[in-house]
Amino acid sequence: MTQHAANHAATLHQEGCLALVQKEYRRAIELIKQAIKEYPHDFSYYNSLASAYYDINEYAKAMATYQRALTLNPRSFESLVGLGQIYKKHHRYQLAINHYVKAIALDPNQPMAYNNLGTAFRAQGNITKALSCFRKAIELDANYKPGILNLGNALQWMNDFRGAVDCYHRALSLDPDFVTAYLNLGFAYQAMKETDNAIQAFRNVLIREPDNSTALVYLFHQYQYACDWEQMDRLSKKIDHVLQKEIQHDHVPAEPPFLNISRCMDPHLNYLIARLWSREIKRNVVMDPK
C-alpha cells in the first residue's frame, strides 16, 4: 500500500464524516466504504461507517461493522459504546451494560459512557445504579445536559419530584430551548398537582415545537383540571388532527387510551388508540438474554 493510497483513503474518510455530519447518510456510507476498500486496516473508518448505518436504522450492518472495528482494535472505546447502543435499542440490556462497562474501563473520564450505562440500568429497573451513573456523568462534566436530564427523570421515577424539577431547571439554565426538559418539567409539576406551572411548562414546549403531540395532549388535560373549557375546545380539535396523522402512519399516538377516553367518547377512535398502545406494550415486553 503506497502512501498516496493511504492519504487518498484518509481524504475519502474525512469527506464521508463531513457528509455524516450533514446527514447525507448514503453518500457518507459510499465514501467511507471506498476509504475502507483502499485502506482496510484503520478501525476508525469502520466506526464511522457503523455510525452511519446506525443513523439510518440498519442495526445489523452497524453491529457487524463495529465488531469488525473491534477485531482491529479491541480497545476501541467508540466501538464498545456503539455496540452498547445497539444492544440497548434491542432491549438486550445486560449486553449493553457489559459493553458500556468495558468502555468505561478503557476511558473512565467520559460522561457520555456513564450516562448511557445509567439509561441501560434504568431500562432494567435498577434506578439506584442508574442514579449513581447519572451523578458520575455530571461529576465529570457539570454542564452535561443529557446526564442532568436523565438524573431528573430517575428522580421523578422515584417520586422525588422536587429534585427532578431542580434538575430540569438546571438543564434549562444551560439551554433555554431544551424542549425535552420543558416537557419532563411539565410532567413533574403535573405529578405535584401544580397545574399553573405544568401549563406553563407545556406551553414552553409548544412555543418551540407547535405540533409537539405529547405537549398538546398533556396541556389539554391540565386545562381540564383547571376547567378552562375554551382552551380545552381549541386544543381538542388540534389533538384530533394530530392523532389522525399518527394513526394513518401506524405510529403509537401521544395520547394514552385512558386520557383519550376522558377527552373524547368516540368508540372507533378509542379502539384504534387502545389497539396501537397495546401493540407497542406487547412489543416492548422482551426478556433480556444474560
Side-chain angles (χ1 to χ4, degrees):
M1 169 86 49
T2 66
Q3 186 60 45
H4 173 75
N7 289 343
H8 186 241
T11 299
L12 288 169
H13 178 242
Q14 289 175 353
E15 291 177 359
C17 290
L18 179 60
L20 188 56
V21 170
Q22 295 172 339
K23 300 185 178 181
E24 298 174 3
Y25 299 115
R26 290 300 176 188
R27 181 168 177 268
I29 287 168
E30 290 308 311
L31 286 165
I32 299 169
K33 286 172 70 174
Q34 289 178 43
I36 289 172
K37 185 176 181 180
E38 294 197 16
Y39 190 74
H41 310 297
D42 191 321
F43 74 96
S44 68
Y45 293 3
Y46 292 92
N47 281 334
S48 299
L49 179 59
S51 178
Y53 282 135
Y54 184 91
D55 286 342
I56 58 172
N57 303 329
E58 293 189 6
Y59 300 121
K61 289 182 179 179
M63 180 180 291
T65 309
Y66 277 131
Q67 288 169 338
R68 175 58 179 158
L70 280 174
T71 65
L72 294 172
N73 180 9
R75 296 178 59 82
S76 171
F77 176 90
E78 184 178 346
S79 305
L80 289 165
V81 170
L83 283 169
Q85 291 295 85
I86 294 170
Y87 285 127
K88 186 173 66 174
K89 177 74 72 172
H90 290 84
H91 311 291
R92 302 178 71 180
Y93 301 121
Q94 191 56 51
L95 282 172
I97 288 167
N98 294 344
H99 282 74
Y100 294 141
V101 169
K102 289 178 183 178
I104 288 169
L106 293 173
D107 188 349
N109 296 311
Q110 294 289 338
M112 173 267 290
Y114 284 100
N115 182 65
N116 289 354
L117 178 59
T119 59
F121 278 130
R122 182 187 66 200
Q124 273 193 332
N126 194 332
I127 303 300
T128 301
K129 285 188 177 180
L131 283 168
S132 177
C133 291
F134 299 141
R135 287 183 171 127
K136 181 62 178 180
I138 299 168
E139 177 186 319
L140 290 169
D141 181 355
N143 295 329
Y144 185 64
K145 289 191 304 179
I148 297 168
L149 179 77
N150 280 322
L151 177 59
N153 294 344
L155 291 171
Q156 187 164 182
W157 289 320
M158 295 184 74
N159 296 326
D160 182 358
F161 301 113
R162 188 57 61 190
V165 165
D166 291 342
C167 287
Y168 300 140
H169 279 299
R170 181 177 172 185
L172 289 166
S173 72
L174 298 170
D175 180 1
D177 293 319
F178 195 179
V179 167
T180 306
Y182 278 121
L183 191 61
N184 291 355
L185 179 63
F187 291 141
Y189 280 133
Q190 175 180 284
M192 293 190 292
K193 303 190 185 305
E194 295 186 15
T195 301
D196 289 344
N197 286 333
I199 286 172
Q200 188 57 53
F202 293 133
R203 279 177 172 170
N204 275 321
V205 174
L206 295 171
I207 287 169
R208 292 157 178 83
E209 293 183 1
D211 294 323
N212 187 297
S213 55
T214 303
L216 285 168
V217 165
Y218 286 92
L219 178 58
F220 173 89
H221 289 285
Q222 289 308 298
Y223 284 136
Q224 194 174 42
Y225 297 142
C227 299
D228 191 331
W229 313 115
E230 182 178 347
Q231 293 286 7
M232 286 168 60
D233 184 59
R234 178 182 64 83
L235 277 180
S236 189
K237 293 174 183 176
K238 190 165 187 179
I239 291 168
D240 282 336
H241 178 70
V242 170
L243 284 178
Q244 289 301 327
K245 285 186 176 180
E246 291 176 331
I247 292 169
Q248 287 171 9
H249 291 91
D250 206 32
H251 294 163
V252 180
E255 188 171 47
F258 178 77
L259 295 185
N260 175 249
I261 290 172
S262 73
R263 181 184 66 83
C264 172
M265 288 300 294
D266 178 339
H268 180 64
L269 180 62
N270 299 154
Y271 166 75
L272 290 174
I273 300 296
R275 182 177 63 82
L276 288 168
W277 269 81
S278 177
R279 186 190 65 184
E280 183 67 9
I281 292 168
K282 182 178 180 180
R283 178 184 297 160
N284 288 326
V285 178
V286 178
M287 293 300 293
D288 183 22
K290 302 300 181 185

